[in-house]
């Protein structure tokens, strides 16, 4: 149902632990994700085309990358997550299939658009409750995009949210730990 989804298993430097993040295949060799996912990581396993991460599914591609393939935004700030965007550059092209496709990006620059009140769909393998483990099954949820004022009331910090960030209000369930870097889209 979401052939552009990428599950990203990251190995954290110096502590031999792993972290799950998400992303979107935006080009045959590029996965878009969150910079904070890659910030302290030394390698990544990118899984494309999977609905269930632990099943042996047809059409799934797995790509191993080291930090030389991480491209973190030059203005990323770990303290306030400003410019929290990064690219994973795959070594080889991924061919489109029934299970793997690049996401269609908007044809115009939407930086000045106001998305407040729009419904966005978030997709990922993260936790679906505070005490749950990450989901092996790809899940999705509808969320409402908050206005900047509403977001600032919800997060009363001087450093967050910045003008480059959006906040989502949960309608039923929403993004959680393990969903960092996931894409969301709105039906404009």
């Amino acid at each position: 149902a979401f052939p552009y989804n990428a599950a990203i298993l990251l190995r954290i430097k110096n502590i031999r632990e792993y972290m799950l993040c998400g992303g979107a295949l935006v080009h045959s060799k590029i996965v878009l994700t969150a910079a904070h996912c890659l910030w302290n990581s030394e390698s990544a396993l990118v899984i494309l085309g999977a609905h269930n991460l632990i099943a042996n599914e047809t059409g799934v591609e797995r790509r191993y990358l080291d930090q030389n393939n991480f491209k973190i935004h030059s203005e990323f700030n770990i303290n306030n997550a400003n410019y929290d965007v990064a690219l994973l550059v795959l070594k080889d092209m991924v061919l489109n299939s029934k299970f793997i496709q690049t996401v269609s990006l908007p044809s115009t620059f939407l930086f000045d658009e106001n998305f407040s009140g729009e419904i966005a769909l978030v997709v990922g393998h993260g936790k679906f409750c505070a005490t749950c483990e990450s989901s092996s099954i790809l899940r999705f949820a509808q969320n409402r995009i908050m206005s900047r004022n509403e977001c600032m009331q919800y997060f009363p910090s001087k450093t967050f949210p910045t003008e480059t960030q959006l906040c989502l209000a949960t309608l039923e369930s929403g993004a959680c730990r393990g969903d960092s870097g996931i894409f969301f889209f709105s039906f404009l």
Side-chain angles (χ1 to χ4, degrees):
F2 304 101
Y4 28 80
N5 182 69
I8 306 165
L9 188 61
L10 295 143
R11 184 169 182 170
I12 309 302
K13 290 179 185 173
N14 302 322
I15 59 173
R16 303 219 183 268
E17 288 187 11
Y18 292 88
M19 175 174 75
L20 178 66
C21 281
L25 186 65
V26 295
H27 179 274
S28 61
K29 288 182 70 171
I30 298 173
V31 173
L32 179 67
T33 191
H36 75 265
C37 289
L38 306 183
W39 182 251
N40 201 26
S41 301
E42 63 184 22
S43 62
L45 169 61
V46 178
I47 305 169
L48 300 164
H51 175 72
N52 185 334
L53 292 176
I54 59 175
N56 188 14
E57 296 177 318
T58 303
V60 174
E61 296 260 348
R62 289 175 170 77
R63 304 294 174 98
Y64 294 91
L65 303 172
D66 61 30
Q67 63 193 50
N68 294 327
N69 299 89
F70 300 174
K71 306 297 180 204
I72 295 174
H73 193 288
S74 61
E75 294 184 53
F76 170 60
N77 182 330
I78 192 68
N79 297 315
N80 65 6
N82 205 21
Y83 297 98
D84 189 11
V85 64
L87 304 175
L88 290 165
V89 181
L90 306 177
K91 295 173 186 172
D92 299 307
M93 283 180 43
V94 175
L95 298 177
N96 278 356
S97 70
K98 177 180 175 183
F99 305 105
I100 301 172
Q101 296 172 21
T102 56
V103 67
S104 296
L105 298 173
S107 60
T108 59
F109 193 69
L110 300 174
F111 187 75
D112 293 328
E113 293 291 324
N114 181 356
F115 296 101
S116 299
E118 295 288 337
I119 301 301
L121 193 66
V122 293
V123 179
H125 285 96
K127 294 182 176 190
F128 53 92
C129 75
T131 58
C132 300
E133 295 292 321
S134 293
S135 174
S136 61
I137 304 293
L138 187 61
R139 301 174 62 88
F140 65 93
Q142 291 184 348
N143 288 225
R144 180 181 53 80
I145 301 173
M146 293 180 178
S147 70
R148 180 154 171 76
N149 287 339
E150 182 182 5
C151 187
M152 290 172 74
Q153 290 173 6
Y154 197 81
F155 297 100
S157 165
K158 294 194 185 306
T159 59
F160 181 82
T162 69
E163 297 212 4
T164 64
Q165 297 166 330
L166 293 173
C167 293
L168 300 177
T170 301
L171 295 180
E172 54 209 38
S173 64
C176 198
R177 186 175 299 271
D179 285 327
S180 291
I182 62 170
F183 61 93
F184 73 92
F185 57 94
S186 181
F187 304 101
L188 297 176

